[in-house]
């Protein structure tokens, strides 16, 4: 019940295309987090969501906290080569621990 | 401002050798500290976390151990490395409230 199911596992797109990925769970969460990991680096927080139905943007990135509190979506508009990386959803558990999804590997072709 | 330092960046160790990875945080006090492992560029697995000096919680049984000798220092160790210990090890800290999770730049460990 605490596992995060993230899809798709990988995406290959052309520069300028929009991207959408999602994360689901059988459990209800109070917080959804989206991270990006550049190759060879640690993940960096992109967006944090705290309320069901919340829609939050960060530049070309938009994330939504699902109404059921069991899913979340991340959209990237007008992709550019530097969007390449692995995108993770995550949730907080007790003790401020984070559980991560398996990630979506994004490749952007120029 | 707060910064997190993790070293070394890469490490190649023979099977059976010991391991010591160090992580330090600057610019904050009493942080929560974490060690994660990432295999094959995929999901991150929480190995250990600490809410204070000498307080270590292990998430999964394994060949590794962690210690927190000082408030802002977190060490990941092994007495004898296994091939399966290879991976990308990430240290992280948080203030304990909110999503202020900051990762270090990671250590790529290859056990040969």
């Amino acid at each position: 019940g605490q596992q995060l199911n993230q899809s798709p596992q990988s995406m290959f797109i052309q520069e300028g295309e929009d991207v959408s990925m999602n994360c689901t769970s059988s459990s209800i969460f109070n917080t959804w987090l989206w991270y990006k990991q550049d190759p060879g680096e640690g993940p960096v927080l992109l967006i944090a969501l705290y309320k069901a139905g919340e829609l939050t943007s960060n530049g070309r990135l938009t994330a939504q906290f699902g109404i059921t509190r069991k899913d979340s979506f991340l959209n990237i508009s007008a992709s550019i080569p530097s969007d390449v990386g692995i995108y993770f959803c995550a949730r907080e558990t007790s003790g401020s621990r984070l559980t991560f999804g398996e990630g979506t590997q994004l490749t952007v072709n120029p | 401002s707060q910064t997190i330092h993790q070293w070394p960046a890469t490490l190649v160790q023979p099977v059976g050798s010991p391991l010591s990875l160090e992580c330090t945080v600057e610019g904050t006090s009493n942080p929560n500290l974490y060690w994660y492992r990432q295999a094959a560029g995929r999901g991150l697995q929480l190995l250990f976390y600490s809410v204070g000096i000498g307080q270590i919680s292990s998430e999964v049984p394994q060949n590794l151990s962690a210690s927190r000798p000082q408030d802002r220092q977190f060490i990941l160790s092994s007495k004898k490395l296994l091939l399966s210990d290879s991976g990308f090890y990430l240290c992280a800290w948080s203030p304990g409230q909110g999503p202020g999770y900051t990762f270090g730049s990671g250590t790529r460990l290859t056990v040969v």
Side-chain angles (χ1 to χ4, degrees):
Chain A
Q2 298 189 356
Q3 184 175 356
L4 299 181
N5 301 307
Q6 195 170 346
S7 65
Q9 285 191 340
S10 60
M11 302 181 74
F12 298 84
I13 63 171
Q14 292 297 123
E15 183 176 359
E17 290 183 1
D18 297 341
V19 173
S20 184
M21 59 192 79
N22 71 298
C23 198
T24 62
S25 174
S26 58
S27 301
I28 293 175
F29 298 146
N30 294 321
T31 304
W32 279 100
L33 307 170
W34 284 95
Y35 283 80
K36 182 197 177 191
Q37 184 179 26
D38 289 328
E41 298 292 330
V44 174
L45 180 66
L46 298 174
I47 293 176
L49 303 163
Y50 301 102
K51 295 194 310 184
E54 179 181 357
L55 184 71
T56 299
S57 294
N58 179 5
R60 292 178 297 106
L61 277 63
T62 302
Q64 184 163 23
F65 194 144
I67 291 292
T68 65
R69 294 167 60 192
K70 294 182 178 181
D71 59 4
S72 179
F73 301 87
L74 176 69
N75 297 319
I76 305 173
S77 62
S79 60
I80 59 179
S82 62
D83 289 333
V84 165
I86 304 177
Y87 292 80
F88 292 101
C89 60
R91 67 173 186 94
E92 284 192 85
T93 62
S94 60
S96 295
R97 291 168 288 165
L98 290 187
T99 298
F100 288 84
E102 286 298 302
T104 294
Q105 173 75 61
L106 178 64
T107 301
V108 180
N109 297 314
Chain B
S1 63
Q2 302 90 357
T3 57
I4 180 169
H5 302 279
Q6 190 180 340
W7 68 93
T10 59
L11 191 60
V12 180
Q13 291 284 98
V15 169
S17 64
L19 173 73
S20 181
L21 302 181
E22 189 162 346
C23 174
T24 59
V25 180
E26 296 179 356
T28 187
S29 59
N30 197 31
N32 289 351
L33 296 172
Y34 311 85
W35 278 110
Y36 281 84
R37 178 168 61 198
Q38 184 178 34
R42 301 305 301 189
L44 293 93
Q45 179 186 36
L46 179 62
L47 302 177
F48 301 96
Y49 72 99
S50 171
V51 298
I53 295 175
Q55 302 178 57
I56 309 294
S57 296
S58 174
E59 286 291 292
V60 293
Q62 56 212 321
N63 184 43
L64 302 168
S65 62
S67 61
R68 186 170 177 173
Q70 301 180 41
D71 181 45
R72 290 168 288 177
Q73 183 185 30
F74 206 23
I75 297 173
L76 183 69
S77 304
S78 174
K79 292 182 179 178
K80 289 186 178 181
L81 284 169
L82 306 172
L83 287 174
S84 58
D85 291 324
S86 295
F88 192 49
Y89 289 83
L90 288 155
C91 180
W93 78 274
S94 77
Q97 293 179 1
Y101 230 79
T102 303
F103 284 88
S105 55
T107 296
R108 175 79 56 192
L109 172 66
T110 303
V111 182
V112 296

